[in-house]
Amino acid sequence: MFTFDCHLDLSMNAMEWNRDLTRPIDEIRRREKGLKDRKDRGNGVVCFPEMRRGKVGICVATQIARYVKETNPFPGWHSPEIAWSMTRAQLAWYRAMEEKGEMRQIRNVAELDAVAALWSGTPPPNAPIGYVLSLEGADSMVTLGHLERSYGDGLRALGPAHYGVGTYSPGTEAEGPLTPKGRELVKEMDRLGMILDATHLTDEAFWDAVKIFQGPVWASHQNCRALVPGQRQFTDEQLKHIIERGGVIGAALDAWMMVPGWIKYTTRPEDTGVGLKHMADHIDHVCQLAGDSLHAGVGTDLDGGFGREQAPMDLETIADLQKVPDLLRAKGYGQTDVENIMHGNFLRFLRAHLPK
C-alpha cells in the first residue's frame, strides 16, 4: 500500500551521518562497520531503494540544526548562524537529489496531486520520492526574515521546539512556555500560511502555540501519553485539540516512545518485545479519541538518531511499514480506514492547506 511518512530526517542522515541514501541499505551499513562516533552506526533502516520497495512514496523531509548555548547539555551548533548554514547545506542536498531524479519537492496542491497519482498506481522502479520540506526546531532561524526566505525555498511546516531549551521554545526534556521570540515566530508562521508542527513542544508551549496560531496544526511524529507515560508523548487533551482542529497525528517508531519503561541506550528491543503492533496501538488510541480514522497517520522518525537498536523488532527496514495495514485490519479497521491512516489523512490535510 502507498504510504505517506510524515517525518524523516533524510538530509541529516546524508550531511551528518554521511549516508548515501541512493545506495542499498546493506551497503550503507557495511560502510559504517567499525564506526563508533554515533550509537546507531551500522543500524540504519532508511534509504531510497527501501522506501521504494515499501512504497513510501511521499514523506515530510526535514531540515534540522539545533543551536545550543554553552549551558545547554544537548549536542548542537554553537551559533544560530552556523545552524542556519547547516540547514542551507541540507537544502542543497535535497536540490541535488531532485537533480538526480531521486526526489521531487512538493510546494503546492498541484505538485502534491501529481506525486500522489504516481504512487497511488504502479510507479516505475525509479519513481521520484515526493517530499514536503519541514524544519524540526526553529533555532536555525536567525531572524524572522530567514523564515520568510525559507518559505520561498518551499518550507511548508515548522516545529518551534526540539530538545532542551531553545531560542523560540523549550522542548523535550525541558519545561516552560514559548519565549517572546517564539510567540512572534508563531505569528509569522500564521501570516505566511505555514503548518505548525506541535511535536516536541512542552505542555505549556503547546497551549501557548495553539492559542496564538490560527492556522493548520499537525503532530508529525507523536505518540500517546495514555499508553506511554512521559513528557515526549501527548496527553489525550492535547491529541483531542489537534483532532478538533482537523489535524493529523503521525505515529512514531522510536521504541522509547512506543512502550513504557524503556531506558535509552540500555534497553534492547528484545527486552520489551516492542513491535509494529505497538504502533498500531497508538494509532488505534488516536482513532478512538477521534471516533473515526480521519486523524491518525504515520510519522516514523526512522533513522532520526536511532536505528535497529531502538526500533521495533519486526522492522528490518522502512519497507516493513507494509506490515502495518494487516495489523490495523486485525484490530477491525476496514480498507478505507487503513488507506486513511497509511496516506489518505495527510494527503487530505495538505490538499486543504498547501498553496493552490
Side-chain angles (χ1 to χ4, degrees):
M1 180 177 289
F2 164 40
T3 300
F4 185 117
D5 190 332
C6 196
H7 192 87
L8 288 174
D9 295 313
L10 299 177
S11 65
M12 181 190 80
N13 276 267
M15 300 306 297
E16 296 189 53
W17 271 247
N18 195 19
R19 288 171 171 167
D20 181 357
L21 300 183
T22 70
R23 304 301 301 158
I25 199 70
D26 289 345
E27 178 183 316
I28 294 171
R29 292 172 180 169
R30 186 172 64 250
R31 294 192 71 170
E32 295 184 4
K33 187 176 180 180
L35 295 180
K36 302 296 183 184
D37 59 318
R38 301 185 186 276
K39 295 183 182 297
D40 61 328
R41 284 298 190 190
N43 280 318
V45 301
V46 178
C47 65
F48 295 149
E50 290 302 304
M51 290 179 72
R52 291 188 178 99
R53 187 167 72 87
K55 215 173 180 185
V56 184
I58 302 180
C59 66
V60 174
T62 70
Q63 297 169 292
I64 178 171
R66 185 169 53 236
Y67 158 55
V68 293
K69 296 180 179 178
E70 192 171 358
T71 54
N72 192 326
F74 291 96
W77 307 101
H78 291 179
S79 79
E81 292 79 9
I82 298 172
W84 166 259
S85 299
M86 176 52 72
T87 66
R88 303 313 285 178
Q90 293 170 350
L91 180 62
W93 179 79
Y94 284 123
R95 296 286 184 256
M97 292 301 98
E98 291 177 62
E99 292 171 7
K100 197 178 176 71
E102 297 281 352
M103 302 187 77
R104 182 181 297 172
Q105 190 175 13
I106 294 168
R107 300 182 271 287
N108 54 51
V109 173
E111 292 173 345
L112 175 71
D113 285 344
V115 179
L118 175 67
W119 282 95
S120 295
T122 303
N126 61 345
I129 294 164
Y131 77 100
V132 178
L133 189 63
S134 180
L135 179 67
E136 184 174 22
D139 285 358
S140 58
M141 291 296 163
V142 182
T143 69
L144 294 185
H146 289 71
L147 178 62
E148 185 166 14
R149 180 175 167 186
S150 294
Y151 183 82
D153 291 324
L155 185 70
R156 293 294 178 261
L158 188 150
H162 193 224
Y163 274 78
V165 178
T167 301
Y168 297 99
S169 176
T172 300
E173 299 186 23
E175 298 295 339
L178 290 179
T179 68
K181 286 186 176 180
R183 288 190 280 274
E184 293 305 310
L185 174 83
V186 169
K187 291 176 184 176
E188 181 66 2
M189 290 175 61
D190 223 347
R191 186 187 72 83
L192 291 169
M194 297 184 71
I195 298 162
L196 172 66
D197 187 350
T199 293
H200 283 296
L201 287 170
T202 63
D203 291 356
E204 286 182 83
F206 174 92
W207 293 112
D208 276 352
V210 298
K211 181 179 180 180
I212 296 167
F213 187 78
Q214 300 303 303
V217 180
W218 68 24
S220 63
H221 53 306
Q222 189 70 53
N223 289 349
C224 309
R225 201 176 298 180
L227 301 183
V228 179
Q231 179 243 32
R232 174 62 179 85
Q233 287 65 252
F234 276 171
T235 65
D236 285 359
E237 186 181 10
Q238 290 170 306
L239 296 170
K240 286 178 182 177
H241 182 85
I242 295 172
I243 290 165
E244 289 166 1
R245 290 180 65 154
V248 184
I249 297 103
L253 285 176
D254 196 340
W256 73 280
M257 296 187 286
M258 298 178 70
V259 292
W262 186 283
I263 301 171
K264 280 187 177 182
Y265 314 128
T266 299
T267 305
R268 301 168 301 173
E270 55 268 29
D271 296 334
T272 63
V274 63
L276 289 166
K277 64 183 180 181
H278 293 100
M279 172 188 247
D281 290 342
H282 285 273
I283 289 170
D284 181 58
H285 187 78
V286 170
C287 292
Q288 296 303 321
L289 289 175
D292 56 42
S293 65
L294 298 175
H295 300 277
V298 172
T300 65
D301 197 21
L302 288 171
D303 286 356
F306 69 98
R308 288 176 296 174
E309 81 290 348
Q310 197 165 289
M313 291 177 62
D314 50 350
L315 185 139
E316 179 66 18
T317 78
I318 193 171
D320 288 318
L321 288 177
Q322 287 299 318
K323 298 175 181 178
V324 175
D326 282 344
L327 293 170
L328 294 172
R329 292 184 188 105
K331 286 181 172 292
Y333 287 86
Q335 184 66 13
T336 299
D337 297 322
V338 173
E339 290 174 359
N340 287 340
I341 293 162
M342 297 306 292
H343 59 261
N345 291 334
F346 279 122
L347 291 179
R348 186 187 68 253
F349 181 97
L350 287 170
R351 286 183 179 120
H353 299 298
L354 285 178
K356 304 303 180 188

